[in-house]
Amino acid sequence: MSERAPSQLQRDWAPAEVWRQLSKPVFIPAILLIVALTAFAIVYAQTGGDAFTVLNTAITNGVGWWYVLAASAFVVFALYVGLSRIGSIRLGRDDEEPEFSTVSWFTMLFSAGMGIGLVFYSVAEPLSHMTTPPENAGVEPGTTAAGRLAMDLTLYHWGLHAWAIYVVVGLGLAYMTFRRGRPLSIRWLLEPMLGRERVEGWMGHVVDVVAIVGTMFGVATSLGLGVQQIMAGLDFLGWFEQTPTLAIVLIAVVTGLATLSVITGLDRGLKWLSNINMSLAGLLALFVLLLGPTLVILQSIVANTGSYIASLPGIALETWPLATDGWAGGWTIFYWGWWMSWAPFVGMFIARISRGRTIRQFVFGVLLAPTVIGILWFSIFGDAAILRQLTEGDMLVDGAVDTNTSLFHLLETYPAAAVTSVLAILIIVFFFVTSADSGALVVDILATGGATETPRLTRVLWVVVAAGAAGVLLIVGGSEALTALQTASIATAVPFSIIMALACISLLRAFHFEVASAPRYMRARIASNGALALGGAAPATDAEPAADGRRGGWRREISTTFAGLSRREQPAPAAVPSGEFLVALHEVPAGAVELGPDGVATVDEEQVAQDPIAGEVFDTPEFAASQAAVDLEQADGDERLAGGDDERQGEQGPRA
């Protein structure tokens, strides 16, 4: 008697069934590494009051230059694939439509991508750069020039570079999974370079473990920042004092909300929360815009856009090598490490919701649209705060910027400060929930070997792990809590940044093959009273010599334009239909064509672009629904058709 298949409830919650679905070579090492690194943070915090500052400085001095170089290279990669012919490739079957509407798609990727950070740094970062600019920047702190530089640096950290990092991972996953039918896992980005055998072996396991660990600490950093600002807001309102106990309670409450979101699933839970998030954030931004210095902010939006574009070439590769103030490590290097540690999480999430879009749509949606929103957001909050500081000078606390309370200080200068402060706290809570929710979903996909439907029990587990890591870093960090969070992101992103660079090279191999092998469709027309001979003249017979005097055979013509081809004077053969039809043209490199002395051209197949991952078949739902499966079925049909023609030719025998 056959065993009954497990029910959906068993697959989601039965420990034995959940354990069966996990990829043990990935899950076990990832959990052990997360526990070990968290324990290291606890022990290391006891070595001195500035322990995390020392560690942060050592890491940024060692890998800072690499982060700056890699982030700018990812921008170039994203623009290249989006603007070139590669951009026409669809992330799915050729006839597939996007799964989510454009509005829902945008709100989900933006809310999950940078939610907490946008709120946390909306006022704090521009003010910090204005009051404490880089020592080698050549501007006087607290001046109008420093304010202009502050906005350039802020948009540099939150603009194209940040989202290009997400494009690399998200685009690679969407292409390899929905176009080529591979499992939804980071390791498959390297298949065009390493091959299937290595990707399915220990190398692939290492890649996924690195992605899980980096994602967990990247999300933990964001959750820690969120808890810090929630506590600061409650303290600012006079409701609660900031204590470790309050931090633990807040983490527990918001983790519970994230767990509920996980249980409800992607379509209902996360989509609903994301739309609410963006609505509340938009409402708060509109409030500050309309009740603040509206004209100055509108002027600043235009000025900041132009200044950001103009300054980008100069600062994109700036590493401040002679500086001793640690500014680059505390800001740029931290951001690039933070974004890279988030890249597996955000990249896989936006891949999951981007099926059916073209690469060009993906790039311009993920790269440009959030950058525009970031310019609007920071221009509204940042310039309002900068103007307030320049005119009133009351945005600082003891002569310095308090990153936790700066947003609430700004809102205090507006009417209904208590209401807007509560609204800001709610936005942070919702961003906290969506970050933990989508982070758990992505890590669970990695831990199950790329399965798109994962057990809810393990998703809850990952939410608890991320929240626990955030709580530990906050509590053991003490006065260095923010530095501890930053250090965790920078350190865990180092190995994944190398994986991302290799993924760019690997994906370009696959993209270039697909572009080289993709047909170009052209419309042709055959008239019933005579037609243009496309590709050659009609066959000449002994009775009717060709124009060049030869009899018999085909006279092949080559022309750079259709006008250079000869016209037939006789009517078109009855077998050729009248009207319009489509011709699929496959481009062949000039170096692969050999023209013989008789004028006949042949193609050297070895010189034609080769698919780096051809011939691989997967017994998975992802492969069955991909364009690769469609291509394979068409190829099998062509072979069967060719075989049938050969058989019929053999039955007819040679012609006289």
Side-chain angles (χ1 to χ4, degrees):
M1 185 174 179
S2 60
E3 296 183 0
R4 295 179 59 184
S7 65
Q8 184 62 47
L9 183 63
Q10 289 176 317
R11 287 195 296 269
D12 279 341
W13 300 105
E17 181 61 27
V18 170
W19 179 253
R20 186 190 63 80
Q21 297 178 64
L22 291 171
S23 174
K24 283 74 173 181
V26 174
F27 176 79
I28 296 175
I31 286 290
L32 292 177
L33 268 175
I34 293 170
V35 172
L37 290 173
T38 305
F40 169 78
I42 296 174
V43 175
Y44 187 75
Q46 312 305 317
T47 61
D50 60 348
F52 284 105
T53 300
V54 173
L55 182 61
N56 183 278
T57 302
I59 295 175
T60 54
N61 288 342
V63 301
W65 65 272
W66 162 248
Y67 279 175
V68 171
L69 179 63
S72 295
F74 296 150
V75 174
V76 175
F77 170 84
L79 293 176
Y80 169 70
V81 298
L83 297 174
S84 67
R85 287 181 58 194
I86 294 172
S88 62
I89 299 173
R90 188 167 295 277
L91 301 174
R93 298 187 306 274
D94 288 335
D95 59 349
E96 200 160 0
E97 294 296 327
E99 181 179 1
F100 296 97
S101 69
T102 300
V103 174
S104 293
W105 176 62
F106 175 72
T107 55
M108 281 194 290
L109 73 88
F110 189 73
S111 179
M114 292 186 177
I116 290 177
L118 274 179
V119 180
F120 188 84
Y121 286 110
S122 58
V123 173
E125 182 171 356
L127 274 181
S128 296
H129 296 332
M130 185 188 74
T131 58
T132 314
E135 65 178 19
N136 291 344
V139 297
E140 184 179 349
T143 61
T144 303
R148 165 60 56 212
L149 176 65
M151 292 307 301
D152 290 342
L153 294 173
T154 300
L155 297 181
Y156 168 51
H157 293 150
W158 292 86
L160 296 177
H161 283 70
W163 288 94
I165 292 172
Y166 296 158
V167 164
V168 172
V169 178
L171 175 59
L173 286 169
Y175 173 79
M176 294 300 295
T177 300
F178 305 137
R179 183 76 180 176
R180 305 307 295 266
R182 273 48 178 173
L184 188 62
S185 187
I186 302 292
R187 66 175 69 192
W188 295 103
L189 272 64
L190 302 180
E191 187 194 1
M193 174 185 294
L194 301 179
R196 179 175 180 176
E197 183 177 352
R198 291 188 180 92
V199 166
E200 291 184 329
W202 68 268
M203 290 185 182
H205 298 331
V206 169
V207 170
D208 282 349
V209 169
V210 168
I212 288 176
V213 174
T215 298
M216 279 290 96
F217 281 99
V219 172
T221 299
S222 296
L223 302 188
L225 296 178
V227 169
Q228 278 191 311
Q229 195 163 36
I230 292 173
M231 287 195 301
L234 295 175
D235 187 18
F236 188 81
L237 292 171
W239 295 356
F240 297 95
E241 292 185 1
Q242 299 186 56
T243 62
T245 302
L246 179 61
I248 294 174
V249 171
L250 287 174
I251 289 175
V253 171
V254 182
T255 301
L257 294 176
T259 301
L260 289 176
S261 178
V262 164
I263 293 174
T264 59
L266 176 67
D267 289 324
R268 285 181 297 172
L270 194 56
K271 181 179 177 180
W272 179 73
L273 282 176
S274 298
N275 289 332
I276 290 180
N277 248 358
M278 293 303 294
S279 300
L280 292 178
L283 182 63
L284 183 62
L286 190 63
F287 173 84
V288 175
L289 172 63
L290 295 180
L291 273 70
T294 306
L295 182 59
V296 173
I297 292 176
L298 293 176
Q299 292 172 334
S300 298
I301 291 173
V302 178
N304 290 340
T305 302
S307 184
Y308 168 59
I309 295 173
S311 65
L312 192 58
I315 61 177
L317 296 175
E318 181 61 74
T319 60
W320 312 102
L322 302 179
T324 59
D325 58 350
W327 182 92
W331 291 104
T332 303
I333 308 306
F334 158 64
Y335 273 128
W336 297 166
W338 192 16
W339 301 156
M340 289 179 195
S341 67
W342 265 48
F345 148 41
V346 181
M348 185 178 291
F349 178 72
I350 60 178
R352 170 66 180 82
I353 63 176
S354 300
R355 179 167 194 151
R357 301 188 181 275
T358 65
I359 288 179
R360 185 167 293 111
Q361 290 172 336
F362 183 96
V363 168
F364 281 99
V366 178
L367 187 65
L368 297 182
T371 298
V372 172
I373 296 298
I375 292 174
L376 296 176
W377 181 269
F378 281 105
S379 295
I380 292 173
F381 289 94
D383 276 298
I386 287 174
L387 180 63
R388 179 77 185 187
Q389 177 61 27
L390 290 174
T391 56
E392 303 295 333
D394 58 356
M395 290 298 297
L396 305 182
V397 177
D398 297 329
V401 176
D402 187 333
T403 55
N404 293 326
T405 60
S406 57
L407 173 62
F408 301 106
H409 280 296
L410 176 65
L411 295 177
E412 190 181 27
T413 65
Y414 287 74
V419 175
T420 54
S421 295
V422 172
L423 178 61
I425 293 174
L426 286 176
I427 293 172
I428 298 168
V429 170
F430 278 124
F431 277 140
F432 190 128
V433 172
T434 53
S435 297
D437 185 334
S438 47
L441 172 64
V442 165
V443 171
D444 211 27
I445 290 174
L446 291 173
T448 53
T452 53
E453 297 296 331
T454 62
R456 298 186 190 275
L457 177 61
T458 48
R459 275 189 260 171
V460 172
L461 169 65
W462 292 118
V463 169
V464 173
V465 169
V472 168
L473 291 172
L474 277 175
I475 294 171
V476 304
S479 60
E480 286 191 299
L482 180 60
T483 305
L485 295 169
Q486 293 176 336
T487 305
S489 286
I490 295 173
T492 54
V494 174
F496 193 73
S497 66
I498 299 173
I499 293 173
M500 289 181 62
L502 295 176
C504 290
I505 300 172
S506 177
L507 290 171
L508 286 176
R509 292 189 63 188
F511 292 156
H512 287 154
F513 162 77
E514 183 141 353
V515 168
S517 61
R520 291 187 177 185
Y521 294 97
M522 305 188 71
R523 189 193 305 271
R525 175 174 295 175
I526 296 179
S528 59
N529 61 344
L532 189 67
L534 300 181
T541 64
D542 291 338
E544 297 177 306
D548 60 0
R550 294 186 299 170
R551 295 177 182 270
W554 282 87
R555 181 168 62 82
R556 299 179 180 273
E557 295 182 338
I558 298 176
S559 174
T560 57
T561 65
F562 282 115
L565 297 172
S566 62
R567 289 188 63 86
R568 295 187 306 188
E569 299 302 332
Q570 66 273 27
V576 180
S578 300
E580 295 183 350
F581 63 96
L582 290 178
V583 178
L585 303 179
H586 293 262
E587 188 173 340
V588 178
V593 178
E594 297 179 2
L595 192 62
D598 56 354
V600 177
T602 59
V603 177
D604 182 1
E605 295 293 342
E606 294 184 357
Q607 299 297 321
V608 179
Q610 303 294 321
D611 188 352
I613 53 177
E616 301 292 352
V617 179
F618 295 78
D619 185 19
T620 61
E622 292 82 12
F623 186 83
S626 69
Q627 182 63 31
V630 176
D631 295 339
L632 182 63
E633 184 177 352
Q634 291 177 346
D636 290 342
D638 292 342
E639 290 181 2
R640 288 193 297 269
L641 180 61
D645 290 342
D646 292 341
E647 292 177 4
R648 288 191 293 273
Q649 180 68 24
E651 293 173 358
Q652 295 174 359
R655 295 185 178 181

